[in-house]
Amino acid sequence: MPELPEVETIRRQLRGKIVGKKLDGKKIVGVRRRAKILIIDFSDGSSLIFHLKLTGQLIFDGEPSRHTRHVFKFSDGSQLVFNDVRKFGWWKYVKSSKDIEKTFGPEALEIDLKGFKDILEKRPNAKIKPLLMDQKFIAGIGNIYSDEILFAAKVQPLRRVKTLTPEEIKVIWLNIGKILKLAIKNRGTSENTYLDAMGKKGDYLKYLKVYRKEGQKCPRCGGMVKRIKIGGRSAHFCLKCQR
DNA sequence: CAATCGTCCTGCGGGC
DNA sequence: TGCCCGCAGGACGATT
């Protein structure tokens, strides 16, 4: 499912392909990302925005299939194919993307340690995993990367914010940057249906340590990886080395 | 008021 | 082999 690294991968690939082209007569001047939203900007200030949700794909010059929801055709004959098996994703044209952009918290890759500490202080009773996935709190992290970030930080997903030590907070913050950047470098995680804008799978799957590894041995300590439900969503963590 | 639950949707895998 | 059931999940609205 497309989280920050996957959408960022698509953004970088698309930028090189479509900036300068025209869509319905409007000139494309940029391709941006905010949280998990992809934004195509036009010269008149309007934008086309996309949320890929769980199974959305945006493939440049892709071949339409039975899961294709829309094909955007550029004036030079190239096209952008929007596929979505589960139909949770959406796209819309807006006069301005400002309103939607301000509904999100700070970008996960832009917040500094002090800023991270400051926002954590506002939610002392929250469980850390759902909080990392709350887009109004911090933008871009979903189920896969929240599990992986907390594993790297050796922190259990159920830990309450107020019980975290300053050192643990720092290590969580460090790993938000480290893991998201490494995932971008690998063009994301193709755990299920995700494909990048070139129609290729991402390579981060091989780096996953706990996500969907229930019952397997922890690669760090040999302990058991467990899956639990937190607020109806699955969370994976090592029983032994995550505290 | 924050946390949880139901909802949207389809493909897949487990169980029999 | 085939069918049924349950599960997966982002985000929003409703509910507790």
Side-chain angles (χ1 to χ4, degrees), chain A residues 1 18 22 30 35 57-58 63 80 90 94 117 125 136 151 153-154 160 176-177 183 188 207 220 230 233 239:
Chain A
M1 49 197 150
I18 69 173
K22 283 186 176 179
Q57 303 173 334
L58 274 173
E63 278 299 313
L80 184 61
W90 52 261
V94 291
K117 281 179 175 169
N125 294 310
K136 293 181 185 64
F151 173 80
K154 301 186 181 180
R160 302 275 174 178
I176 288 173
Y207 291 94
R220 181 167 56 208
I230 305 176
R233 297 289 172 249
L239 279 174

Side-chain angles (χ1 to χ4, degrees), chain A residues 18-195:
Chain A
I18 69 173
V19 169
K21 294 185 179 179
K22 283 186 176 179
L23 188 65
D24 291 341
K26 291 180 184 291
K27 188 176 180 184
I28 296 166
V29 294
V31 184
R32 292 179 296 130
R33 179 192 56 74
R34 176 77 169 99
K36 304 172 191 174
I37 303 261
L38 187 88
I39 306 166
I40 295 178
D41 290 319
F42 299 105
S43 58
D44 65 355
S46 63
S47 307
L48 200 51
I49 58 179
F50 299 83
H51 197 311
L52 302 178
K53 292 288 183 88
L54 307 179
T55 57
Q57 303 173 334
L58 274 173
I59 302 180
F60 182 75
D61 271 350
E63 278 299 313
S65 70
R66 70 193 192 95
H67 297 306
T68 296
R69 307 298 164 200
H70 198 80
V71 178
F72 299 87
K73 293 182 183 291
F74 304 107
S75 54
D76 69 342
S78 57
Q79 63 185 21
L80 184 61
V81 177
F82 178 46
N83 299 323
D84 189 8
V85 169
R86 292 185 206 170
K87 301 179 179 176
F88 285 0
W90 52 261
W91 62 272
K92 61 182 171 183
Y93 175 76
V94 291
K95 286 288 178 192
S96 167
S97 62
K98 290 278 189 298
D99 285 348
I100 192 156
E101 286 182 60
K102 69 186 182 193
T103 63
F104 299 112
E107 281 290 319
L109 281 179
E110 289 175 11
I111 194 165
D112 61 16
L113 179 56
K114 185 180 181 304
F116 187 56
K117 281 179 175 169
D118 287 347
I119 58 174
L120 282 175
E121 274 180 21
K122 294 175 185 169
R123 303 288 297 280
N125 294 310
K127 296 169 187 138
I128 186 64
K129 158 133 174 148
L131 191 58
L132 288 179
M133 293 170 61
D134 183 343
Q135 304 303 300
K136 293 181 185 64
F137 175 75
I138 183 169
I141 301 169
N143 212 25
I144 296 177
Y145 296 108
S146 58
D147 275 356
E148 295 298 312
I149 288 163
L150 291 175
F151 173 80
K154 301 186 181 180
V155 171
Q156 280 217 30
L158 286 169
R159 282 280 296 282
R160 302 275 174 178
V161 166
K162 64 185 172 191
T163 73
L164 296 172
T165 67
E167 182 61 21
E168 284 173 326
I169 291 171
K170 184 181 175 183
V171 177
I172 291 170
W173 175 78
L174 281 171
N175 278 292
I176 288 173
K178 186 177 164 188
I179 287 177
L180 295 180
K181 284 174 187 168
L182 184 61
I184 292 170
K185 199 173 172 184
N186 283 275
R187 298 173 7 269
T189 303
S190 288
E191 192 275 326
N192 192 5
T193 58
Y194 167 74
L195 295 176

